[in-house]
Amino acid sequence: MVPYLQAENLSKRYGNLLLFENISFTVNKDQKIALIARNGAGKSSLLDLLAGKDTPDAGTITRTNDVTFGYLEQIPLLNP
């Protein structure tokens, strides 16, 4: 399988709130994934990291060349 996205040992914290620590996963070509968790668990924060809109406190994100990542933000900035 061809890996499109690989996350290794990602951690993210906001102040004293630890959202996630040392998570690792790979998304391969033609693979479908879903993020399911309770509110406030860090799903949007993880997507921000994967999209390059934020940086992890620890860990690395590797994207295959020519692969772009996009998603509809939870609170999008729209032109009125």
Side-chain angles (χ1 to χ4, degrees), residues 6-12 20-24 49 55-62:
Q6 187 169 13
E8 297 179 88
N9 300 316
L10 291 182
S11 297
K12 188 63 180 178
F20 43 84
E21 184 173 41
N22 296 324
I23 61 172
S24 298
L49 296 179
T55 57
D57 295 335
T60 59
I61 299 169
T62 306

Side-chain angles (χ1 to χ4, degrees), residues 58-72:
T60 59
I61 299 169
T62 306
R63 294 172 194 84
T64 303
N65 293 341
D66 300 327
V67 171
T68 59
F69 183 90
Y71 74 104
L72 180 60

Side-chain angles (χ1 to χ4, degrees), residues 44 47 70-76 78:
S44 295
L47 290 173
Y71 74 104
L72 180 60
E73 296 180 48
Q74 185 172 4
I75 303 173
L78 302 174

Side-chain angles (χ1 to χ4, degrees), residues 17-54:
L17 176 62
L18 177 64
L19 293 178
F20 43 84
E21 184 173 41
N22 296 324
I23 61 172
S24 298
F25 58 90
T26 300
V27 179
N28 294 305
K29 180 181 178 185
D30 298 326
Q31 188 175 23
K32 294 171 179 55
I33 61 168
L35 292 176
I36 302 170
R38 63 177 172 74
N39 289 346
K43 299 179 299 291
S44 295
S45 296
L46 177 59
L47 290 173
D48 285 341
L49 296 179
L50 299 178
K53 295 181 179 215
D54 197 0

